[in-house]
Amino acid sequence: MNILLTNDDGIDAPGIQCLYSVLKEKHDVFVVAPLSNKSGSSSSFNMYTPVYFEKRSENQFALEGTPVDCVISAIKGGYLKAKVDVVFSGINADGNLGTDVIYSGTCAAARQASLYGISGIALSVVREKGRKNPCFKYEAMAEFALKNIELLSSLCGRKNEYSALDYFVNVNGGSVNCYKGARLTSLCHREYNDEVCIEQINGKSYSNCKSSRGIQSYGTERNDFLAVENGFVSISVLKTEQESSISQFCNLEDSFIL
């Protein structure tokens, strides 16, 4: 199988290099990843703006762009030696749970792959509870990906009339040596407790968004946060394209003022 790897932590991040080392033993693996950390970049990309491109080795390339830039470049650039069958994004350092998927560059890369009709799978490991500066363990997640490529890929569904796949897959697990099992999960709701401070630095004003109270997670008993907390791999199957709500609002069409 021909596999493309990308991430939002950067090409030199240990998570993506661990995944590359594990997958290349049985598959043809290519890496196209950001030159630097692009965490939280969501689905942003550079349009009509050249971005620096660097060949690191025969199968590894770095791009001074976002994770979505990397997927677009890899699939449309014509420099990979083979057509890609599946895209893995990660392994991310820390989780992409619940509401995180809106902001995550890791998840956005997987979504972009599915938009192109290629199975997109995001992989993340969650830091140990209570540790601010953890040493992440990636091997168990890399082995899980290797053993379950075909099943994870099948969860992305079939191509729709626009040649996009119906779903992309978001996988999370703890930073552990082994897992108790796997669970198909719903997304939790994440409350970030955002705070904004206006700061003066070198005579200039800056708006700094941060959280000093930590993140709280809520949801059903089958949510992704609880699955990881209980030692399982969480697998969430998410719609590739957003759906609009029409029927319940149709009675308001004549209420708009022109």
Side-chain angles (χ1 to χ4, degrees), residues 30-42:
F30 305 95
V31 176
V32 182
L35 193 60
S36 57
N37 190 299
K38 299 294 181 180
S39 296
S41 56
S42 189

Side-chain angles (χ1 to χ4, degrees), residues 129-196:
K129 197 172 183 180
R131 294 194 64 176
K132 291 184 178 180
N133 299 302
C135 180
F136 288 100
K137 299 176 181 177
Y138 300 104
E139 290 77 10
M141 181 59 73
E143 289 292 337
F144 179 82
L146 175 64
K147 295 172 183 176
N148 294 279
I149 291 177
E150 292 186 1
L151 181 55
L152 290 170
S153 182
S154 72
L155 293 175
C156 294
R158 298 180 179 180
K159 292 183 182 181
N160 62 26
E161 59 184 308
Y162 307 108
S163 295
L165 293 176
D166 291 326
Y167 307 103
F168 72 97
V169 178
N170 186 37
V171 182
N172 285 272
S175 181
V176 296
N177 293 321
C178 61
Y179 300 111
K180 293 180 180 179
R183 293 286 183 268
L184 285 167
T185 60
S186 61
L187 295 180
C188 68
H189 171 75
R190 303 271 268 176
E191 176 56 57
Y192 299 108
N193 296 305
D194 303 346
E195 299 172 356
V196 173

Side-chain angles (χ1 to χ4, degrees), residues 32 53 63 69-81 116:
V32 182
F53 177 79
L63 200 69
D69 279 322
C70 292
V71 173
I72 294 172
S73 176
I75 302 304
K76 302 287 188 177
Y79 53 85
L80 299 185
K81 294 180 179 179
Y116 283 157

Side-chain angles (χ1 to χ4, degrees), residues 4 6 67-68 71-72 75 84-89 106-121 156 159 163-165 167-168 240:
L4 171 66
T6 192
V68 169
V71 173
I72 294 172
I75 302 304
V84 172
D85 299 310
V86 60
V87 174
F88 278 112
S89 182
T106 304
C107 292
R111 182 189 298 112
Q112 188 66 37
S114 285
L115 281 170
Y116 283 157
I118 300 168
S119 297
I121 302 156
C156 294
K159 292 183 182 181
S163 295
L165 293 176
Y167 307 103
F168 72 97
T240 300

